[in-house]
């Protein structure tokens, strides 16, 4: 059997095609920051934005997953850098925005994605549970957006003086729990409802700066936080020294999926696609909206 001849130009041609594709992408020359993007939905958002040409600041609590996503992006010919740390740190917003400005020279897209659930019925919910969830889902996005305000305002003013209309994007990640509520999630439901309120307020404040501010409220998306866990055992994650149970009983998962018109939970890639829709030029006249992404289930 003849040995297959491999062209010495195959890798070069593939790289050239990748660069040409990226140059024609909708987010070419845009800079995005995505919190909580080392894993799950956040990772898929970072990869999607990068695949469409955006330079991305990747964030995670831990350095390893953040750097892994950076490597994925740079390997496919994109630009990325990690900003490791907890979004709940008082100076994180300034550091996150500063990383984009210092590394890539601008900021066009903010995705406030970082978060988790810490569930309990209200009579058993501690102050720590309440505060932790409000901090990560409301206070942290507020600080990140506040840190970006001066850049958005000054840059928009300069562009207006030049006769240019340039749109920037904020996508806050909410949940169906923040739209219709969910038993056992008083803290999470309140936090996700609050981010919708922040979204609507900033859409009015920042419209003059040509910043579109929207929320995406996810229904059931299959990630490590929602994956089925059989028996009495539970998977856990460690957040600031707190061991938090995650995962869903398989029968409960089956029951939930039976109520979804499309018949199943969504994938992280599908979730990322909905965020991408609110980052492209076609969404320039959409602001102050909450997009429910739940397969037809409110």
């Amino acid at each position: 059997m003849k040995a297959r001849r491999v062209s010495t130009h195959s890798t070069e041609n593939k790289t050239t095609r990748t660069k040409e594709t990226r140059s024609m992408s909708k987010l070419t020359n845009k800079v995005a920051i995505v919190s909580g993007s080392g894993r799950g939905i956040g990772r898929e958002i970072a990869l999607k934005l990068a695949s469409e040409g955006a330079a991305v600041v990747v964030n995670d609590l831990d350095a390893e997953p953040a750097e892994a996503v950076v490597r994925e992006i740079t390997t496919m010919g994109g630009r990325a850098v990690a900003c490791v740390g907890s979004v709940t740190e008082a100076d994180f917003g300034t550091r996150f925005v500063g990383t984009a400005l210092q590394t890539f020279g601008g900021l066009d897209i903010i995705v406030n994605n970082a978060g988790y659930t810490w569930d309990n019925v209200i009579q058993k919910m501690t102050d720590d549970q309440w505060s932790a969830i409000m901090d990560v889902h409301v206070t942290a996005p507020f600080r990140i957006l506040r840190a970006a305000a001066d850049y958005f305002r000054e840059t928009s003013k300069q562009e207006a003086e030049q006769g240019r209309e340039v749109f920037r994007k904020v996508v806050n990640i909410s949940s169906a729990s923040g739209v219709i509520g969910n038993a056992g999630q008083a803290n999470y439901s309140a936090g996700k409802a609050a981010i919708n309120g922040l979204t609507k307020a900033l859409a009015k404040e920042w419209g003059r700066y040509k910043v579109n501010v929207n929320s995406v409220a996810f229904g059931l998306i299959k990630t490590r936080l929602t994956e089925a866990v059989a028996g009495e055992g539970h998977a856990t994650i460690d957040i600031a020294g707190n061991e938090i149970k995650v995962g869903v009983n398989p029968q409960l998962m089956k029951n939930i999926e039976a109520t979804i018109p499309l018949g199943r939970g969504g994938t992280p890639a599908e979730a990322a696609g909905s965020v991408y829709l609110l980052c492209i030029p076609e969404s320039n006249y959409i602001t102050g909206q909450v997009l429910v992404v739940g397969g037809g289930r409110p």
Side-chain angles (χ1 to χ4, degrees), residues 61-211:
L61 273 170
D62 304 311
E64 185 176 346
E67 294 291 355
V69 175
V70 169
R71 286 194 297 273
E72 285 187 79
I73 291 172
T74 55
T75 297
M76 67 184 190
R79 297 182 297 156
V81 66
C83 181
V84 178
S86 171
V87 296
T88 62
E89 295 169 358
D91 67 341
F92 179 81
T94 300
R95 187 160 61 88
F96 200 25
V97 171
T99 299
L101 299 182
Q102 293 160 20
T103 306
F104 301 119
L107 178 59
D108 303 279
I109 299 166
I110 298 175
V111 182
N112 282 309
N113 168 77
Y116 59 96
T117 58
W118 193 359
D119 298 347
N120 222 330
V121 291
I122 194 165
Q123 66 269 28
K124 295 182 180 180
M125 186 171 290
T126 67
D127 285 356
D128 286 344
Q129 279 179 282
W130 175 267
S131 297
I133 295 303
M134 296 301 284
D135 283 349
V136 72
H137 291 288
V138 186
T139 305
F142 159 74
R143 287 173 174 161
I144 291 168
L145 295 168
R146 181 177 62 183
D150 285 346
Y151 174 78
F152 282 172
R153 184 176 61 252
E154 293 303 319
T155 305
S156 174
K157 181 180 178 181
Q158 294 170 11
E159 290 161 349
E161 290 172 349
Q162 297 164 2
R164 298 193 297 136
E165 187 177 60
V166 178
F167 286 85
R168 292 179 172 82
K169 312 288 184 175
V170 172
V171 183
N172 294 317
I173 303 305
S174 183
S175 167
S177 295
V179 177
I180 60 173
N182 194 31
Q185 292 190 322
N187 52 358
Y188 185 69
S189 296
K192 289 306 191 183
I195 198 67
N196 292 339
L198 179 60
T199 294
K200 291 177 180 293
L202 280 191
K204 291 178 170 61
E205 286 190 25
W206 285 1
R208 61 184 138 173
Y209 306 138
K210 309 304 177 185
V211 179

